[in-house]
Amino acid sequence: MKKFLIAAMLGGLLGVVVAPQLAGPLLAKETDQAQTYKQLELFGDIFDRIRAQYVEEVDDKRLIEAAINGMLTSLDPHSSYLSPDDADDMRIQTRGAFGGLGIEVTQEDGFVKVITPIDDTPAAEAGVEPGDFITHVDGEGLLGLTLDEAVQLMRGPVGSEIVITVVRESEPEPFDIKIIRDTIKLTAVRDKTIGESVVMRVSTFNDQTYPNLEDGIAKQIEAAGGIENINGFVIDLRNNPGGLLSQAIKVSDAFLEKGEIVSTRGRAPEDGDRWNARAGDLAQGKPIVVLINGGSASASEIVAGALQDHRRAIIVGTKSFGKGSVQTIMPLAGDGAMRLTTARYYTPSGRSIQALGVSPDIIVEQPRKDPSSLEDEAAEDAGAMRSEADLRGSLNNDSLSEADRDQIEQERARAEEAAKLRDDDFQLSYAIDLLKGLSAIQPAQ
């Protein structure tokens, strides 16, 4: 009996001790829920007052959509609400054709910032540059608008003119750029050969990116008469704003034989994913140089980071944009959708490039051409020193056959062609020179 009483007393004491420990979290949870309900009541109260007392009659649907979008955009610059029309536009863009100016934008401190103009679009041809801030559209200020509202102002009928006001770091004053809206048809990958180097210009990551890349590489190898006649590949990701994660994984896998490509980590550990490469290298082991700049974002950074971490490519250019987050498109009732940031992605070495970007192995700035220097360059070329061969009566070189002379002339012509490229695209020229140097010290395959 005593033992029973002692046990009962101990049980009672333990109950006194344990109960507050359990009650604390439960009470905190109930308090949090009560606060949430109060905030929702506040929202309902404000909504009703706007409907009843605002100076003009308001559209309930538009008001609610604005509230939803405000909630999402307060999280980060890439989360947003997509109206049914916006959701349709987004689906069309991933298929590679849409109407507009041809710029990828984000929002920074309330201002609309250009990530990059897309190749061969009205914005690119008009001179819009990565890093530009758009302050006005047709004289209407964008400060205070959401990103979606600003984008809506820039949309319009194909063939119509728009005037955007731009602030650029290198310019002392804001200036206007006139652009004619057009249907934007994206060519995901363009291919060409310069000298013995194959250049693959990847401008976006849509459904056509990997198929275009695979076909382009095969075409250039065939045109060169075989992989043995190619010294390497340049993968040009400059001003590529990104796109589909699945395509970034396929493009990375195209040049890797094994190992991790990218991983994502969400809020919960079970939400993470990891993708690994499968055997097969489209470049067949040849050296690769990847070009990036401040307009290279998202999917571009996945590719650059994967090839850099596996030491499969040399990264050349300037630091990339630094968008290391994953957005999931979630369909909503009424044909709308929600773009929500659900994870961060990590390169094979485990680094996140969010807000930091991918740092090049070799930093190469793209110099701005000063028109005033063109005359000086022309005068310098005209006054170049004469060589031995220009001297009257100089001896001939008797160690070369006619075939040897022809080969030397061809090599010199290719070198001069590469040198001319420096005036048009210094970064690309650097990449090609780098491949040429790597092939010179590699044993023949």
Side-chain angles (χ1 to χ4, degrees):
M1 186 68 179
K2 271 186 178 179
K3 286 182 180 178
F4 175 77
L5 287 171
I6 291 168
M9 288 172 66
L10 283 170
L13 288 170
L14 286 170
V16 170
V17 173
V18 172
Q21 291 176 344
L22 292 172
L26 289 172
L27 286 171
K29 188 174 181 181
E30 287 177 5
T31 303
D32 287 345
Q33 286 179 344
Q35 282 293 106
T36 301
Y37 289 137
K38 280 184 180 179
Q39 291 297 106
L40 289 172
E41 286 176 12
L42 175 63
F43 173 79
D45 182 35
I46 291 172
F47 178 71
D48 286 338
R49 291 193 185 193
I50 291 171
R51 294 174 72 199
Q53 299 176 22
Y54 186 65
V55 65
E56 295 176 355
E57 190 173 343
V58 293
D59 182 332
D60 288 359
K61 181 182 175 185
R62 184 180 172 193
L63 204 59
I64 292 170
E65 286 185 353
I68 294 169
N69 196 51
M71 179 168 55
L72 287 165
T73 56
S74 71
L75 301 173
D76 65 77
H78 307 293
S79 295
S80 64
Y81 170 73
L82 300 172
S83 68
D85 287 343
D86 291 339
D88 273 344
D89 286 346
M90 184 272 303
R91 284 187 281 269
I92 290 169
Q93 286 183 36
T94 60
R95 292 196 295 268
F98 58 96
L101 306 180
I103 50 175
E104 182 81 9
V105 294
T106 186
Q107 201 158 34
E108 188 174 294
D109 300 326
F111 294 96
V112 175
K113 183 179 182 179
V114 176
I115 297 176
T116 183
I118 300 167
D119 286 354
D120 300 325
T121 62
E125 291 168 4
V128 177
E129 296 183 3
D132 284 349
F133 284 92
I134 301 174
T135 61
H136 294 75
V137 170
D138 290 331
E140 184 173 347
L142 302 185
L143 187 61
L145 298 182
T146 67
L147 186 60
D148 284 340
E149 288 170 338
V151 169
Q152 284 294 338
L153 281 179
M154 287 185 267
R155 288 181 177 150
V158 171
S160 60
E161 183 181 85
I162 179 176
V163 178
I164 60 172
T165 304
V166 168
V167 172
R168 184 174 293 166
E169 188 177 353
S170 61
E171 299 294 332
E173 298 291 337
F175 58 95
D176 291 340
I177 298 178
K178 290 182 181 179
I179 305 175
I180 305 297
R181 296 181 179 96
D182 200 357
T183 300
I184 310 302
K185 293 181 180 178
L186 297 181
T187 302
V189 182
R190 291 181 174 84
D191 54 89
K192 62 182 176 181
T193 296
I194 300 177
E196 296 177 349
S197 304
V198 174
V199 179
M200 305 301 296
R201 166 63 184 151
V202 184
S203 59
T204 188
F205 286 88
N206 62 27
D207 288 339
Q208 301 304 310
T209 301
Y210 179 75
N212 287 173
L213 181 81
E214 187 178 31
D215 291 346
I217 288 177
K219 182 178 75 176
Q220 293 299 331
I221 291 175
E222 183 181 357
I227 192 69
E228 65 276 5
N229 297 320
I230 290 171
N231 64 16
F233 294 81
V234 177
I235 311 300
D236 187 354
L237 298 176
R238 292 174 297 173
N239 297 334
N240 182 323
L244 299 176
L245 174 63
S246 60
Q247 290 293 310
I249 292 167
K250 286 182 177 180
V251 169
S252 302
D253 194 2
F255 304 107
L256 295 173
E257 293 282 1
K258 61 181 180 178
E260 183 180 309
I261 294 171
V262 67
S263 63
T264 61
R265 301 176 204 168
R267 183 172 173 178
E270 62 270 19
D271 293 337
D273 272 311
R274 189 182 305 273
W275 290 267
N276 294 311
R278 296 167 297 177
D281 176 6
L282 293 183
Q284 300 181 43
K286 290 289 185 176
I288 298 172
V289 174
V290 174
L291 283 174
I292 61 170
N293 64 5
S296 306
S298 190
S300 301
E301 295 171 296
I302 290 176
V303 175
L307 298 184
Q308 184 179 53
D309 281 1
H310 283 286
R311 301 184 184 278
R312 181 62 188 93
I314 299 172
I315 313 300
V316 171
T318 55
K319 185 172 74 69
S320 63
F321 185 75
K323 182 183 177 294
S325 59
V326 179
Q327 282 68 48
T328 302
I329 306 297
M330 304 176 182
L332 300 174
D335 296 327
M338 173 172 64
R339 183 194 288 117
L340 186 67
T341 300
T342 53
R344 290 182 174 88
Y345 67 72
Y346 295 80
T347 68
S349 64
R351 60 187 168 128
S352 168
I353 56 106
Q354 175 61 29
L356 294 176
V358 174
S359 297
D361 298 307
I362 304 173
I363 295 175
V364 178
E365 299 277 354
Q366 186 81 297
R368 293 181 181 273
K369 196 70 175 177
D370 182 4
S372 64
S373 67
L374 294 176
E375 292 181 6
D376 294 338
E377 287 181 11
E380 185 179 330
D381 290 342
M385 291 184 65
R386 298 169 72 194
S387 70
E388 169 73 15
D390 296 321
L391 298 179
R392 183 182 298 173
S394 62
L395 296 175
N396 292 326
N397 187 315
D398 61 357
S399 67
L400 299 175
S401 67
E402 197 63 35
D404 291 335
R405 291 177 189 275
D406 289 343
Q407 184 177 350
I408 288 173
E409 287 301 323
Q410 289 172 11
E411 289 175 355
R412 181 177 295 156
R414 283 198 293 269
E416 288 174 353
E417 182 184 356
K420 287 177 184 174
L421 181 61
R422 290 177 198 145
D423 292 334
D424 299 325
D425 191 337
F426 183 79
Q427 290 173 324
L428 178 58
S429 173
Y430 188 100
I432 290 170
D433 286 345
L434 186 58
L435 286 177
K436 192 184 296 181
L438 288 171
S439 67
I441 61 173
Q442 280 191 338
Q445 295 181 359

